[in-house]
Amino acid sequence: MKDIKFNIGCEDIEELINGGAYYVDKTAYLKNILMSSSEVKNSLFIRPRRFGKTLNLSMIKEFCKLNYQNPADKTYQQKLFIDNGRSLAVAGEDYSEFRDKVMGEFPVISISFKTVEGSCFQRAVSQLLYKFGMIYDEFDFLSKSSKQDPDDIETYRANKKFCKNQKDELYEPQNLSKAISIISTAIPQIGAMLYQEFGRKVIVIIDEYDVPLQKAVIAEEPYYSKMLEIIRTISGNTFKKDNQPWLYKSVVSGCLRIAHQSVFTDANNFTTYGMGDEPYTGFFGFTQDETGKLLEDCELSDKSSEVKEWYDGYRFGKQHIFCPWSLISYCNQALHSDNDKPQPFWINTSGNDLITMFTKNSMEAHDAGNLSKLQQLLDGERVNITLEEFTTYPDIHDRVSFDVFMTLMLHTGYVTYTEDSDSSGEVTIRIPNQEVLSCFRAKQKFLYGENNPYWFNQAMTLVDLLLENKELQAQELITSMLMSFLSVRNTRSEFYYHGFMTGVLGFACSAKGVEFHEEIEKGSGFPDVVLKKVSTDTVTVLEFKKGNNDRLARIDSANYATAQIIEQKYAEPFLKEGYSKVYGIGIGFGGKDCVVKSLGNMAKKK
């Protein structure tokens, strides 16, 4: 098997190329992005996490970046993109004129908001200030240049010093205000100085613009409106229509398409490219051809069907796109270990918390509609939604609608468009592949276990109700839990309901110190479940039956269950043992509902 080097998680094109790692060539897109018409001055690319946004933006930066010490020198780009033995698209003869005009010709201001977060607003601003401080460090030569206005140099030095010395002192209001001012104006200030220094327009790159907004929503002390104002001000000052002539083009990336009026206020010629927008549908992620070549290079072509099942399924425009993070991780595993079985590589990221929160909120609200639609997706079915344009980042704590949540999931890569669906307005979605399905199922397992306090408390309450013979309250609670339980659509078999009840009661009884027995031989047969609490001298015998999905059928099933308890003498052994409270309860199930019937305290009837 071939010895191919993979640099998993590498987001720096120079490190990847010079390190000899495998690279799927995306340089063919450079010409469109950087030489497109003046109508597309600023580009916003919306793609899911782990689809190569940062690496592609690194490619743009390194290809264009001017040698600030020797502006005529392009040997860095020549070595990185042309003379590397890889035959990249941009090295071709048809790109010769493009290279002359663009390669190594522009000052580049590049910043990533990927790690900007904090439990409170001040900490998030501190993270932003740190990142802008790095930009001031990068272009410090401007503060020593005779071409610059002395007032601009003074401001530059003061801002750089503040970024370094005050980023941890933002609890003081005057420092916080100053920090926000610097963050809001740093890019246009430095951009104008670079234009003055070199007489060349500047390229601005902002990676993951929406991460600070997402983190602001889910923070311990949410601060969304304050962070939105900062991002909006950065955008307005950098991309405004009446800007100075220092800006050539900008490229911005993110996961979520937030309405222009909310973030990109007064933006000049701003064009958003979503997952269905040409000509960039293949710019992020791996196309089918790129995936086929990767597997061939790794001598893994015989695994293509498994790879497709696990990592394909995304539809960007008319193209099938594979998740690059997962595909590279799989190939690396298959080549450098004994394990060539696909597995999830993409799930341990923050987006999964959104699934947990939405499902938990729907459970607490008893929103059977939301939960039923989630189950449809889990069953491999298609679901229709109306895409929502976000004027603010959705606050998942507020029990957002299913359409809002699924639009968010579409942007973050958890669902995708079906083959025959439009990509705007009314659309049809599905879970793309086995990897994402495993993520949903992992969250489902968590939500219905003891680690979820809401679900666990319901199960604990149900044990008490059954041991206290409170049949109507138990009926209401079981029905509520059935409504919430995502696998409820699998209602064809009595074994399903049996598994549901034993699963719920089993872990709750263990926590409460209640004896739990499943299908033990008692009397003339086997009752489905027996609960025994010695401290209160109580036994509850449970029998489950399934009927059709209507009330009369459920009543008949419950009566049939109680009759079986009597006929098979399930309670006799406990009555002989002298328990003072022995309850016989039959439960008739059908669809998402149940009927609970009790025989009362059979010890008193003896």
Side-chain angles (χ1 to χ4, degrees):
M1 190 165 282
K2 289 188 176 181
D3 183 21
I4 295 177
K5 178 180 179 181
F6 292 106
N7 194 338
I8 299 173
C10 178
E11 298 176 328
D12 185 321
I13 189 73
E14 180 183 18
E15 178 184 343
L16 193 150
I17 294 293
N18 291 340
Y22 194 93
Y23 175 60
V24 174
D25 183 14
K26 298 292 183 178
T27 61
Y29 291 92
L30 285 168
K31 185 185 292 187
N32 267 342
I33 294 170
L34 298 167
M35 292 283 286
S36 58
S37 69
S38 59
E39 293 178 359
V40 185
K41 189 177 185 69
N42 305 300
S43 303
L44 169 61
F45 290 99
I46 299 298
R47 291 296 189 278
R49 299 167 295 104
R50 303 295 191 185
F51 269 74
K53 296 190 296 295
T54 301
L55 181 61
N56 283 355
L57 266 57
S58 169
M59 173 186 69
I60 295 171
K61 174 187 175 182
E62 300 305 327
F63 184 83
C64 298
K65 187 174 68 174
L66 187 70
N67 182 333
Y68 302 123
Q69 284 70 46
N70 183 4
D73 180 25
K74 298 185 180 184
T75 55
Y76 169 76
Q77 283 85 8
Q78 185 70 27
K79 178 182 177 183
L80 186 61
F81 291 95
I82 314 303
D83 301 330
N84 55 24
R86 295 174 182 252
S87 300
L88 299 181
V90 76
E93 185 60 34
D94 51 339
Y95 284 83
S96 176
E97 182 181 354
F98 167 70
R99 293 196 300 269
D100 290 342
K101 293 180 177 179
V102 175
M103 190 175 77
E105 291 290 331
F106 295 92
V108 180
I109 300 174
S110 178
I111 188 168
S112 172
F113 293 164
K114 182 175 292 188
T115 58
V116 176
E117 60 180 303
S119 58
C120 65
F121 180 58
Q122 288 83 355
R123 291 185 180 181
V125 173
S126 176
Q127 287 288 316
L128 276 173
L129 197 66
Y130 171 74
K131 287 182 171 289
F132 278 98
M134 294 172 66
I135 295 179
Y136 278 107
D137 285 340
E138 180 181 358
F139 298 107
D140 189 55
F141 61 84
L142 294 172
S143 67
K144 305 176 180 66
S145 173
S146 60
K147 295 181 180 181
Q148 301 298 325
D149 185 288
D151 290 340
D152 290 339
I153 290 177
E154 183 179 352
T155 301
Y156 190 102
R157 289 175 175 171
N159 288 353
K160 178 187 174 186
K161 183 178 180 181
F162 186 93
C163 290
K164 181 176 182 179
N165 297 332
Q166 301 298 321
K167 65 181 178 63
D168 297 323
E169 307 294 330
L170 301 187
Y171 55 85
E172 296 182 7
Q174 64 271 24
N175 284 346
L176 181 61
S177 178
K178 177 65 174 177
I180 294 172
S181 176
I182 291 174
I183 290 167
S184 301
T185 59
I187 294 177
Q189 177 208 9
I190 296 172
M193 293 179 72
L194 286 169
Y195 184 59
Q196 176 69 26
E197 185 74 13
F198 298 106
R200 306 186 189 206
K201 291 188 176 184
V202 177
I203 292 174
V204 172
I205 297 173
I206 300 178
D207 190 23
E208 304 284 12
Y209 87 94
D210 57 335
V211 166
L213 300 175
Q214 177 193 345
K215 299 299 184 182
V217 170
I218 63 175
E220 184 178 335
E221 301 174 25
Y223 47 88
Y224 179 82
S225 60
K226 294 179 180 178
M227 183 55 69
L228 176 61
E229 184 60 33
I230 290 179
I231 303 299
R232 179 189 288 134
T233 305
I234 292 172
S235 168
N237 288 339
T238 303
F239 310 123
K240 62 186 178 181
K241 294 177 181 178
D242 59 346
N243 217 335
Q244 296 297 320
W246 60 267
L247 181 64
Y248 174 64
K249 285 184 182 293
S250 69
V251 183
V252 182
S253 81
C255 285
L256 194 63
R257 186 198 300 258
I258 299 177
H260 280 138
Q261 63 266 30
S262 298
V263 177
F264 302 107
T265 309
D266 296 326
N268 181 33
N269 299 332
F270 221 101
T271 303
T272 301
Y273 295 101
M275 288 176 280
D277 296 320
E278 299 291 352
Y280 299 109
T281 54
F283 187 35
F284 301 95
F286 293 168
T287 65
Q288 292 191 86
D289 289 343
E290 290 166 344
T291 299
K293 185 177 187 307
L294 169 61
L295 294 177
E296 182 182 348
D297 291 343
C298 296
E299 297 180 355
L300 292 170
S301 296
D302 60 320
K303 301 294 181 181
S304 59
S305 60
E306 294 175 76
V307 167
K308 182 178 178 64
E309 180 182 359
W310 270 82
Y311 309 122
D312 185 17
Y314 294 97
R315 181 191 149 198
F316 292 179
K318 297 180 181 179
Q319 299 219 47
H320 279 266
I321 300 294
F322 291 71
C323 176
W325 170 270
S326 301
L327 201 54
I328 290 293
S329 298
Y330 167 74
C331 290
N332 184 66
Q333 169 190 277
L335 289 183
H336 301 117
S337 74
D338 295 329
N339 183 9
D340 61 0
K341 299 295 183 184
Q343 60 179 290
F345 296 101
W346 188 69
I347 66 172
N348 296 319
T349 50
S350 59
N352 300 327
D353 297 334
L354 299 176
I355 300 173
T356 303
M357 279 190 279
F358 179 76
T359 312
K360 182 174 180 291
N361 289 342
S362 297
M363 289 166 58
E364 292 174 347
H366 304 297
D367 193 332
N370 281 357
L371 294 166
S372 179
K373 289 176 183 176
L374 276 176
Q375 182 58 39
Q376 282 181 258
L377 290 170
L378 283 167
D379 287 345
E381 297 180 18
R382 301 145 51 107
V383 173
N384 296 322
I385 66 167
T386 300
L387 291 180
E388 299 286 343
E389 183 179 46
F390 302 128
T391 54
T392 61
Y393 204 100
D395 186 353
I396 210 73
H397 295 291
D398 287 343
R399 294 178 182 170
V400 298
S401 72
F402 187 81
D403 286 354
V404 167
F405 176 68
M406 279 301 148
T407 302
L408 179 61
M409 291 290 96
L410 188 66
H411 286 315
T412 49
Y414 287 90
V415 296
T416 191
Y417 300 109
T418 60
E419 292 297 320
D420 55 352
S421 175
D422 293 330
S423 57
S424 61
E426 299 279 343
V427 302
T428 307
I429 59 170
R430 58 176 172 78
I431 290 177
N433 53 45
Q434 284 294 317
E435 179 177 39
V436 179
L437 181 61
S438 72
C439 170
F440 273 95
R441 287 179 173 166
K443 290 301 173 183
Q444 177 189 10
K445 183 177 181 181
F446 163 78
L447 285 163
Y448 301 110
E450 57 190 286
N451 291 325
N452 179 358
Y454 171 78
W455 184 256
F456 188 55
N457 290 338
Q458 282 193 316
M460 298 275 277
T461 300
L462 180 58
V463 172
D464 289 337
L465 293 176
L466 293 172
L467 286 170
E468 294 167 9
N469 196 42
K470 295 180 178 179
E471 55 185 311
L472 291 180
Q473 291 169 265
Q475 177 177 300
E476 181 180 2
L477 181 55
I478 294 170
T479 298
S480 170
M481 296 176 82
L482 282 171
M483 288 285 190
S484 298
F485 193 65
L486 289 182
S487 292
V488 74
R489 298 180 70 256
N490 180 20
T491 56
R492 297 179 180 177
S493 170
E494 187 173 301
F495 292 113
Y496 162 75
Y497 293 108
H498 185 105
F500 170 78
M501 290 298 291
T502 55
V504 168
L505 296 173
F507 72 78
C509 285
S510 176
K512 292 182 71 70
V514 173
E515 289 186 36
F516 171 83
H517 303 281
E518 180 184 1
E519 291 190 327
I520 57 173
E521 185 171 5
K522 291 294 178 184
S524 302
F526 299 86
D528 285 329
V529 169
V530 173
L531 309 180
K532 185 189 296 185
K533 190 172 183 180
V534 177
S535 62
T536 60
D537 208 29
T538 303
V539 171
T540 297
V541 178
L542 297 169
E543 186 67 25
F544 312 132
K545 296 296 177 186
K546 176 191 176 298
N548 294 327
N549 189 15
D550 64 77
R551 178 170 172 74
L552 291 178
R554 289 190 291 269
I555 292 173
D556 287 343
S557 296
N559 288 332
Y560 178 40
T562 54
Q564 184 170 319
I565 292 173
I566 295 172
E567 293 169 4
Q568 298 296 324
K569 300 179 180 181
Y570 291 156
E572 285 296 321
F574 307 111
L575 296 174
K576 290 179 180 179
E577 292 175 22
Y579 282 91
S580 62
K581 288 173 283 188
V582 179
Y583 301 117
I585 295 179
I587 304 179
F589 292 97
K592 299 179 181 180
D593 212 336
C594 73
V595 169
V596 177
K597 290 286 185 179
S598 174
L599 295 168
N601 185 358
M602 301 176 74
K604 289 185 177 181
K605 300 175 183 179
K606 184 176 178 182

